[in-house]
Amino acid sequence: MSEHVDDRVASRVRKRVRVEGIVQGVGYRPFVHALAARSGLAGLVGNDARGVFLEVEGEPADVDRFVLALEREAPPLAAVERVSTEDVPPLGEDTFVIVHSAPGGRRDTLISPDTATCADCLAEMADPADRRFGYPFLNCTNCGPRFTIVRDVPYDRPNTTMAGFAMCAACAAEYADPSDRRFHAQPVCCPACGPSLSLLDAGQHPIAGEPVAATVALLRAGKVVAVKGLGGYHLAALAGDESAVAALRRRKHREDKPFAVMVADVAAARTLCATDAAEEALLVSSRRPAVLLRRRLGAPVAASVAPGNHHLGVMLPYTPLHHLLARELGEPFVLTSGNVSDEPIAYRDADAGERLSPIADAFLVHDRPIHIRTDDSVTRAFRGREMLIRRSRGYVPQPLTLPAPAPRPILGCGAELKNTFCLARGRHAFVSHHIGDLENYETLRSFMDGIAHFSRLFDIAPEVVAHDLHPEYLSTKYAVELDDVELIGVQHHHAHIASCLADNAQRGPVIGVAFDGLGYGTDGSLWGGEVLVCDYVRFERAAHLAAVPMPGGVRAITEPWRMAAAYLDAAGLAPEEHEVARRNHERWADVLAVARSGVQAPPTSSAGRLFDAVSALLGVRDRVNYEGQAAVELEQHADPGEQGVYPVTVDDGQPLRIRGTDLIRGVVDDHRRGVPLEVVAARFHNSLAATAGDVCAAVRDRTGIGTVALSGGVWQNRRLLGATVDLLEARGFAVLVHRQVPTNDGGISLGQVAVAAARAGGGG
Ligand code: ZN
Ligand code: ZN
Ligand code: FE
């Protein structure tokens, strides 16, 4: 070695660097390459099973700046979780190279969620001179399908559903060029080599013409078209066409549950709904969830789109195909999951052709297979921050960070309705996409397949399995049949509050207010109006709504008038004298007898059932067509300006008992005196919020805990949530609400994992 080289090496440093997080398939290596070139640094970069490894050599200040930039300037889709460095001897190299990926090793690589088409791709699609002009499957390193096409890791084309499409020479050149936007973009393709569209009639025979234009013509003619998307099939219909939307409802057997609407851009969303900055940021985010927005009076949307609801789920296009459709159609269209009633969304072509043929007049399909069924995510903003309602496409499988690492690999099996599962290792908690209601074979199948898929992708073989206490949940049955694992049962509402803690990276202890539908209690009764003092390891039931019978058991869930009967009776309010009794007179006496007998009438402290009772008492809903409908519609009626409150007694004891019957008495008195529905509905919400505040204050007096966590499906109610947060904050509480996982049962699996991690490790 010459003197000259020795001198140069002497002043240099070389670092070996490891970058972990979502760093593969997101243009990370070309970014590193360009960064090194710009800084005049030498070294190498490559992918392996744990993420990106690199070595960098140069002057110390340059190397330090480079290492900082690895996180700060990372490409848009990357999520850098950790950068670790180690000094190694300098080699005197001059160049920076991208080296081949090293196989093997444990799989710590993360997979990016599916990501909405980027601005660069949209510009190409709109450019008549571009070879991808009008091509509905273009994508690049910064956008496109990911999670829904991955069959296995490492994330390379042969392990995706693009394996069957051989790249043409032009695409292969882009794929191999580190300076190209498509360098190592696994789904890269073009009209010459990639997937293509076709339009089929209900009998699966081709329809002539350009597929997008022909689809638009069908939609304009009031037809329902099944559209193959990213994570499954959608059903589309013109949102402004009442007869088209009504036909879609009829054929789908979906009476009232709101449909989501797709519009071309934010400007179009503003014509339908009132939006604020936070909501618009969610609309345009590359995750592209459906965002719940307040509908404008007179918005040009058919009544059948979201009956009885002042809100509308609005989505912007997230695939090139959606962009083409939205632009060509030029008006809002319903885009709802392709299924019948509560079945899982169809995602395989043959199955979709069969199941959706009674619903769809035509099928807009393509030949890129969908590997895993993934529904649209649903979100909203609460006080300027995101509050997810359904976490699925666009968010999954990005992991959440556990407040304390899992000592062993853990599976949380979730609940029954709105099921998700969660696999965890170390600090990573992989909450699954929305699986759905585990009440039919096909959903159970996708639950089990999903667990197997996640286990493989993230190399997690669970040793600890957390489950709900309800013995009849299919997720519980799945757990207890597993061999060679440690089982940890987690009470439903403890899981809710633990989920909210983990969601906020807190450890507790906390006062948890779990207002919910139903969850199995430790005493075998059905809980759901609970105030728990808890951390991850243990909980104490500090207060709850006084239990009332649920006449007819699960039938009371779909028939809220039964809860009105039970509550009127419990309140001693001569049940037969009320309108709700007259409306339901054929069954009233029987149901009342059932409630009094206690047979087929399990006691429940559920806050959701209290909402049901009030909704029926006020004539809003006697029967529901989807979970929570009675409460959702009651909330819509509540007068925003009304401040009145009914007095509610909380009985001393351990636990404290909240007299729900006092709320019923207030509602009935007002209703009889002719106080308008809007005022009574508002007072009921106000009173429940005030009671929650009083109880939390009493629990704080006893325990000294000043933080409250709100979790459970009832907190999807904006009116109740807003009023409760206001009251608690006014009393000096720190209040935790959900952000990244749903407050409904979709968040349960994360809470189960957090509890199991603490218990399995013996920590708190
Ligand atoms: Zn792109
Ligand atoms: Zn090509
Ligand atoms: Fe729940």
Side-chain angles (χ1 to χ4, degrees):
M1 222 182 262
S2 73
E3 296 275 304
H4 173 75
V5 170
D6 278 349
D7 283 353
R8 202 178 59 186
V9 172
S11 69
R12 283 182 155 200
V13 293
R14 187 176 181 96
K15 282 185 195 291
R16 184 172 289 157
V17 185
R18 174 156 288 293
V19 186
E20 290 165 276
I22 300 179
V23 289
Q24 293 187 4
V26 293
Y28 200 80
R29 286 172 305 162
F31 150 72
V32 171
H33 185 266
L35 184 66
R38 215 162 53 231
S39 324
L41 297 168
L44 56 88
V45 61
N47 279 343
D48 65 11
R50 290 181 53 199
V52 166
F53 63 89
L54 59 101
E55 293 188 14
V56 57
E57 178 170 334
E59 295 305 318
D62 296 337
V63 169
D64 288 346
R65 256 197 308 277
F66 172 90
V67 170
L68 280 178
L70 288 174
E71 182 168 357
R72 289 192 187 157
E73 293 169 26
L77 292 195
V80 174
E81 299 196 332
R82 186 154 58 173
V83 178
S84 48
T85 64
E86 166 192 4
D87 290 320
V88 292
L91 302 174
E93 287 175 348
D94 292 323
T95 55
F96 196 96
V97 293
I98 295 178
V99 297
H100 277 296
S101 298
R106 213 177 65 158
R107 295 166 182 171
D108 277 350
T109 313
L110 303 181
I111 290 165
S112 167
D114 301 289
T115 303
T117 313
C118 74
D120 290 337
C121 284
L122 285 178
E124 289 172 347
M125 191 168 71
D127 176 5
D130 193 280
R131 69 192 186 90
R132 294 187 177 88
F133 175 61
Y135 183 55
F137 302 95
L138 90 171
N139 63 82
C140 74
T141 328
N142 300 323
C143 75
R146 295 288 186 279
F147 173 64
T148 52
I149 62 166
V150 173
R151 291 183 164 134
D152 203 351
V153 282
Y155 173 65
D156 280 329
R157 191 165 174 118
N159 283 333
T160 71
T161 64
M162 284 298 289
F165 298 93
M167 273 183 235
C168 69
C171 286
E174 292 169 333
Y175 181 88
D177 176 0
S179 70
D180 193 277
R181 204 173 87 249
R182 295 194 166 87
F183 176 69
H184 277 221
Q186 304 305 340
V188 65
C189 60
C190 75
C193 67
S196 55
L197 274 185
S198 38
L199 184 63
L200 309 175
D201 66 19
Q204 306 295 295
H205 305 296
I207 296 176
E210 197 283 309
V212 172
T215 299
V216 166
L218 286 171
L219 291 172
R220 287 212 179 107
K223 303 293 185 192
V224 173
V225 182
V227 179
K228 185 177 178 181
L230 213 43
Y233 276 73
H234 283 111
L235 291 160
L238 221 52
D241 183 337
E242 177 59 36
S243 72
V245 180
L248 174 57
R249 277 207 181 279
R250 218 166 36 244
R251 298 182 203 167
K252 226 171 112 68
H253 302 294
R254 175 151 149 166
E255 285 95 345
D256 298 309
K257 204 171 176 183
F259 288 145
V261 165
M262 184 171 272
V263 296
D265 49 31
V266 173
R270 285 186 196 128
T271 65
L272 300 183
C273 297
T275 57
D276 65 21
E279 290 166 337
E280 292 190 1
L282 292 173
L283 276 173
V284 303
S285 94
S286 61
R287 301 178 187 277
R288 291 290 156 98
V291 185
L292 296 186
L293 301 171
R294 192 164 179 86
R295 190 195 324 202
R296 288 187 191 284
L297 278 174
V301 166
S304 292
V305 171
N309 205 310
H310 297 324
H311 292 84
L312 205 55
V314 180
M315 231 178 345
L316 299 192
Y318 54 87
T319 68
L321 177 57
H322 293 153
H323 282 282
L324 293 172
L325 277 174
R327 193 184 314 153
E328 187 128 359
L329 194 57
E331 59 180 299
F333 55 107
V334 165
L335 202 61
T336 186
S337 43
N339 55 10
V340 182
S341 190
D342 292 326
E343 288 175 4
I345 182 172
Y347 72 112
R348 293 202 166 106
D349 299 328
D351 176 56
E354 201 170 302
R355 274 164 63 201
L356 304 183
S357 62
I359 307 176
D361 299 302
F363 288 73
L364 182 59
V365 299
H366 60 74
D367 51 354
R368 184 180 69 207
I370 298 170
H371 184 66
I372 192 156
R373 161 194 290 135
T374 315
D375 295 81
D376 291 320
S377 293
V378 182
T379 197
R380 66 187 229 213
F382 175 69
R383 305 203 166 159
R385 289 210 313 214
E386 177 162 33
M387 197 173 176
L388 265 173
I389 291 167
R390 182 166 76 193
R391 184 179 185 272
S392 209
R393 193 256 318 142
Y395 293 80
V396 172
Q398 196 168 341
L400 296 147
T401 303
L402 288 174
R408 288 187 282 157
I410 301 175
L411 167 67
C413 294
E416 177 91 339
L417 299 179
K418 301 182 170 72
N419 177 275
T420 63
F421 60 84
C422 175
L423 275 161
R425 190 184 61 202
R427 282 194 172 270
H428 282 154
F430 298 91
V431 179
S432 77
H433 50 303
H434 168 80
I435 301 289
D437 299 347
L438 286 184
E439 37 192 29
N440 56 52
Y441 174 76
E442 205 173 341
T443 318
L444 182 63
R445 188 79 251 167
S446 69
F447 169 78
M448 295 192 292
D449 290 349
I451 291 172
H453 189 51
F454 272 57
S455 298
R456 194 167 57 243
L457 289 185
F458 306 113
D459 201 16
I460 302 176
E463 294 171 15
V464 177
V465 175
H467 60 85
D468 198 272
L469 297 183
H470 200 308
E472 294 304 316
Y473 281 4
L474 291 180
S475 57
T476 305
K477 291 182 170 174
Y478 169 85
V480 299
E481 281 166 20
L482 294 172
D483 294 322
D484 302 324
V485 294
E486 180 187 343
L487 291 175
I488 294 185
V490 182
Q491 198 278 326
H492 189 91
H493 303 101
H494 185 205
H496 266 305
I497 302 302
S499 170
C500 186
L501 279 174
D503 195 341
N504 288 278
Q506 300 277 319
R507 284 161 177 267
V510 74
I511 300 170
V513 184
F515 281 177
D516 200 22
L518 296 171
Y520 205 78
T522 50
D523 59 1
S525 77
L526 295 167
W527 294 6
E530 312 306 310
V531 180
L532 309 178
V533 170
C534 65
D535 56 19
Y536 290 121
V537 176
R538 60 192 74 82
F539 74 93
E540 172 214 322
R541 196 182 189 199
H544 61 86
L545 273 170
V548 295
M550 210 166 86
V554 292
R555 294 197 61 182
I557 299 172
T558 49
E559 297 181 20
W561 68 269
R562 289 170 179 260
M563 289 313 301
Y567 259 111
L568 285 172
D569 195 41
L573 286 170
E576 44 293 322
E577 291 171 20
H578 298 264
E579 289 165 32
V580 63
R582 282 195 281 280
R583 286 197 306 273
N584 297 283
H585 64 272
E586 300 103 336
R587 312 288 318 284
W588 189 263
D590 291 348
V591 163
L592 214 51
V594 166
R596 285 171 183 164
S597 75
V599 178
Q600 297 287 321
T604 183
S605 55
S606 162
R609 297 291 85 80
L610 175 59
F611 266 91
D612 285 354
V614 172
S615 192
L617 273 173
L618 294 175
V620 174
R621 268 279 147 198
D622 284 344
R623 286 170 185 76
V624 300
N625 297 312
Y626 64 89
E627 194 208 357
Q629 185 178 12
V632 167
E633 293 183 0
L634 182 65
E635 179 192 355
Q636 312 298 318
H637 287 290
D639 177 345
E642 170 60 32
Q643 298 296 320
V645 178
Y646 305 125
V648 175
T649 303
V650 177
D651 291 314
D652 266 339
Q654 192 65 274
L656 303 170
R657 278 169 57 246
I658 303 161
R659 287 196 201 170
T661 45
D662 284 355
L663 287 150
I664 298 294
R665 199 165 287 118
V667 165
V668 166
D669 285 350
D670 269 355
H671 190 49
R672 277 184 171 159
R673 287 191 293 121
V675 177
L677 164 63
E678 288 69 22
V679 172
V680 183
R683 288 178 180 169
F684 168 70
H685 282 80
N686 299 346
S687 308
L688 196 56
T691 306
D694 291 344
V695 169
C696 287
V699 175
R700 177 173 59 186
D701 288 345
R702 178 167 66 80
T703 62
I705 298 170
T707 303
V708 174
L710 305 179
S711 188
V714 169
W715 296 112
Q716 290 174 127
N717 183 315
R718 291 161 190 257
R719 170 72 188 232
L720 184 71
L721 180 68
T724 306
V725 171
D726 282 346
L727 285 168
L728 288 169
E729 287 181 347
R731 294 176 104 144
F733 283 103
V735 185
L736 307 176
V737 299
H738 278 278
R739 301 159 62 186
Q740 313 174 75
V741 295
T743 192
N744 60 47
D745 284 4
I748 286 284
S749 63
L750 176 67
Q752 291 172 340
V753 159
V755 169
R759 286 192 188 155

